[in-house]
Amino acid sequence: MADYLVIVESPAKAKTIEKYLGKKYKVRASMGHLRDLPKSTMGVDTENNYEPRYITIRGKGSTLKELKQAAKKMKKVYLAADPDREGEAIAWHLANSLNLDLNDDLRVVFNEITRDAVKDSFKHPRKLDMDLVDAQQARRILDRLVGYNISPVLWKKVKKGLSAGRVQSIALKLIIEREKEVNSFTPEEYWSIDGQFIKGKKQFQANFYGVNGKKTDLPTSESVKAVVEQLNGKDFTVDKVTKKERKRNPAAPFTTSSLQQEAARKLNFKTRKTMMIAQQLYEGIAIGRAGTVGLITYMRTDSTRISETAVAAAKDYIGETYGAEYLRTADRKDKNKKGAQDAHEAVRPSRLDKAPADIKKYLSRDQFRLYKLIWERFIASQMAPAVLDTMRVDLSNNNVNFRANGSKIKFNGFMKVYVEGTDDGSDEKENILPDMTTGDTVQSLNVDPRQHFTQPPPRFTEARLVKTLEEIGIGRPSTYAPTLDTIQRRNYVTLDNKRFMPTELGEIVYALVAEYFPEIIDVTFTANMEEKLDAVEHGKMEWKKVIDEFYRPFEKEVQKAEAEMEKIVIEDEPAGIDCELCGKPMVIKMGRYGKFMACSGFPDCRNTKAIVKEIGVMCPDCKEGHVIERKSKKNRLFYGCDKYPECEYVSWDRPIERPCPKCDKHTLVVKKLKKGNQITCTACDYKEEEQK
């Protein structure tokens, strides 16, 4: 017979913890929050010190009833929700709903779901931390005041279903401002000169550096021509050889933000998917006879701190697996970023006896890939630096200077396990130069001038946007994924080749918010608000005061917007075709999931059609249909024949009209690479770079 009831958020977490605690404990799940502000009304009394009105969430009544019945039979109830603001608030709502004594030690927290961590937490229960609860309430009420005041204005003036929020408005602002930069960008011409050289039998590459020892730009073809004409023969003299030993340190263990960024780069995961799978790994996976095991520490954190126990375990593992030379000789001294709460550790494996390869058969493909990423990042973070031998060679011919850079990995250190990804996809590779000394002569095999044009700043990927939000102090670990999800669901932005682009609707909403609610899209103001919420968490500010300082001027802005904002009508665009059912013109409408075609005779005629885009290429299979752009269920762009289902041609890569110059078949496609596009033939091995 159980004596104690433990309440957690999810059944998976309940199953794992119950196994560790034994027969005296019954563990049940609340399925997240049981109480919240009502959806139908504001739920915040702005005239009565911002008193919130919480109600039982629709559909959670039966869960609450079951928990109440279970609590009556127990000696004591423990609340073991996640160790953050949200978890503390869930525990507080449960305590109120179950009429528990708020002065009792009923809260238990653990950073990892392992037997030792869970059992130890029940030896040290504590009272509810009302500063954490108040910080969550402040954020929730603040977001409710913004959303439930601005959204109705947008519904009246633009269209129903729109919303505006503090963090999502900043994210939208960043995307729109970057789009303006891209559209206003004027490419500038510049040139480079690549040289292929030989020393003995070893070939190597060097690039033009300058003239008379001074770095020189090549803005035009005329400047290139002048340099090439100055060259005198093929012999180059080695003017200087610089050799150095360089150490490269491993990246710090994952925070929520860096995990989301790296999962996007290396696994192609969206932030929402990363957090969903990380939650599964944290709560526990069934590992054969071992039962359900929590595999990683809590995944919502902005700290890079690691416990001494985990560091010691990592040292033992590295020494036994890779050898003593791979052990760090000095402790890591990672600095947390400004504003980091350091409430719990970095994201790391909770148990080093569960290596990814050993438990692969128990994990789904995506669970394994994310777990392996977290495992390797943590192990590498505790390993010795890599040591690289670098070599720089300066060459000259008639005062024209070329420079070659080479590197060789002397000791791979942490790179044996893991190397951090980059946003541009470039990796550090070995480039071994032949041995050279000052005064040597080398010969040029080829001098190749290349024309280039400066590129606009890159549009935001999910990883780059999360990184930028973190750098400017907007949002916290728990907010990044829902923020990016919201602006996509609202159709304020779309993803094109994994990069955010604003929609017409997004630009309209942003322009209105910027005009009438400037503080909402002010980066400094929003970052300062995050700091005030953090101050509430640490007991340094009173939460109702923080809200009042924001709401009083904001309330006047809402009144002004309601009175002055003009109604915006999003006109239907002519589609250029007639309805095949009634003959009336079709128009392009803006829907919840983007634009679509509909009959102008609505509601008499309800015909609708998806918008398809022809790319000007005949179908390479049937030779009768045209290739059109389509989108998969996961919103990924692909190409197919408009004669489908009669013709089943489909391709992820964009086909082009001309035949392959090698095999003469109409099988050329454009592959999108991390750096530029490549034209390849699907019938032979022909490849070429696409010229923009």
Side-chain angles (χ1 to χ4, degrees), residues 270 488 493-497 593 630-638 652:
K270 288 194 164 194
Q488 291 177 75
V493 299
T494 59
L495 276 173
D496 180 28
N497 193 26
Y593 300 104
R630 296 180 181 272
K631 283 194 175 179
S632 68
K633 290 181 179 178
K634 293 186 177 180
N635 210 35
R636 184 179 171 188
L637 196 68
F638 71 97
W652 291 113

Side-chain angles (χ1 to χ4, degrees), residues 391-427:
M391 182 175 177
R392 192 183 81 192
V393 180
D394 292 321
L395 312 170
S396 68
N397 173 310
N398 197 24
N399 294 321
V400 175
N401 310 115
F402 277 66
R403 177 170 286 179
N405 289 292
S407 66
K408 179 182 179 182
I409 298 174
K410 186 176 183 179
F411 172 63
N412 56 4
F414 75 91
M415 296 172 74
K416 187 176 182 69
V417 175
Y418 173 90
V419 179
E420 186 177 26
T422 58
D423 286 326
D424 60 10
S426 62
D427 295 318

